[in-house]
Amino acid sequence: AYLASEEISSRYNEPLILGHRLSLPATQQKFGSNKTLEKEFLEKSNHTFRFTSGGAGYAMNKKYFKTFYESLDAYFCMSNKEDLTQPEDVALNFCMANLGIFPHDTRDELQRERFHLFPPKKVYNVRGNAHRWWFVQFHEDIGGVKGGQDCCSTSSISFHGLKAAGELHKLDHILYSCRT
């Protein structure tokens, strides 16, 4: 329902990527071998880098994919051999951020996530005050982390790390079929 919503479908003519947004802390911002490019990017972005995590999955519209594809050879898309070790989610978003294109906030109206980096049990039990954990640090300037009953949107799209067959169906039953 969310992917077909007016919020998303009305933006078909602009590059759009959806997923679980993270904000890389300034102390961990390293973007390949071109230190001049890295310095320029950090200055123009006010030392802020937001990206969609590959682990939770992401969805991009046709305009986003076309723009990315056409930019692959650009110097700011880390296309040289030394930079091929960058994680794909960081590299993709770094490339697009240099074009002024940033991930869309996919949280619902109650600020609950739709794309999840962990299985349901871990997402539910997350504590937003665990400041040493990278997951909490990567959310500090984008609204923090919610756990418990506020962890997950009723229109959640993905959970990373589901292992057992039927786990998603079980979750669907718990969320939508059980009533108190």
Side-chain angles (χ1 to χ4, degrees):
Y2 174 68
L3 295 177
S5 71
E6 178 67 22
E7 174 187 346
I8 302 306
S9 62
S10 66
R11 299 181 66 187
Y12 74 93
N13 208 23
E14 61 185 274
L16 186 65
I17 189 166
L18 309 171
H20 189 112
R21 289 182 321 146
L22 296 171
S23 183
L24 196 60
T27 57
Q28 297 183 31
Q29 294 177 357
K30 305 285 186 262
F31 302 108
S33 61
N34 187 334
K35 296 306 170 195
T36 303
L37 174 62
E38 183 178 303
K39 184 178 182 224
E40 288 172 4
F41 175 78
L42 291 173
E43 285 174 1
K44 73 181 176 186
S45 70
N46 197 28
H47 293 270
T48 300
F49 178 62
R50 294 193 174 125
F51 66 102
T52 50
S53 167
Y58 41 78
M60 59 185 80
N61 67 5
K62 189 175 186 178
K63 182 78 170 179
Y64 188 97
F65 182 79
K66 184 176 190 280
T67 304
F68 174 64
Y69 179 79
E70 291 171 349
S71 302
L72 279 175
D73 291 330
Y75 77 98
F76 54 79
C77 281
M78 297 191 278
S79 56
N80 64 47
K81 192 174 184 176
E82 296 82 34
D83 295 331
L84 292 178
T85 59
Q86 288 290 325
E88 109 288 335
D89 49 4
V90 171
L92 167 71
N93 284 269
F94 182 77
C95 175
M96 298 303 276
N98 274 286
L99 296 170
I101 301 168
F102 304 95
H104 182 68
D105 184 353
T106 57
R107 294 173 295 176
D108 70 11
E109 63 280 352
L110 299 175
Q111 301 302 298
R112 299 174 302 184
E113 294 288 351
R114 287 187 169 99
F115 292 80
H116 304 281
L117 288 174
F118 303 110
K121 184 177 181 179
K122 190 166 186 175
V123 171
Y124 185 86
N125 290 317
V126 96
R127 290 188 333 269
N129 62 354
H131 297 292
R132 292 180 186 227
W133 188 27
W134 70 267
F135 184 70
V136 172
Q137 292 173 1
F138 281 35
H139 285 85
E140 285 178 347
D141 71 340
I142 55 172
V145 174
K146 291 185 173 191
Q149 293 180 333
D150 294 324
C151 73
C152 307
S153 174
T154 55
S155 58
S156 287
I157 294 168
S158 68
F159 288 89
H160 182 56
L162 295 178
K163 303 245 188 273
E167 205 169 349
L168 196 54
H169 293 292
K170 181 179 175 183
L171 176 66
D172 184 78
H173 177 74
I174 292 168
L175 289 175
Y176 305 114
S177 299
C178 297
R179 300 285 179 232
T180 56

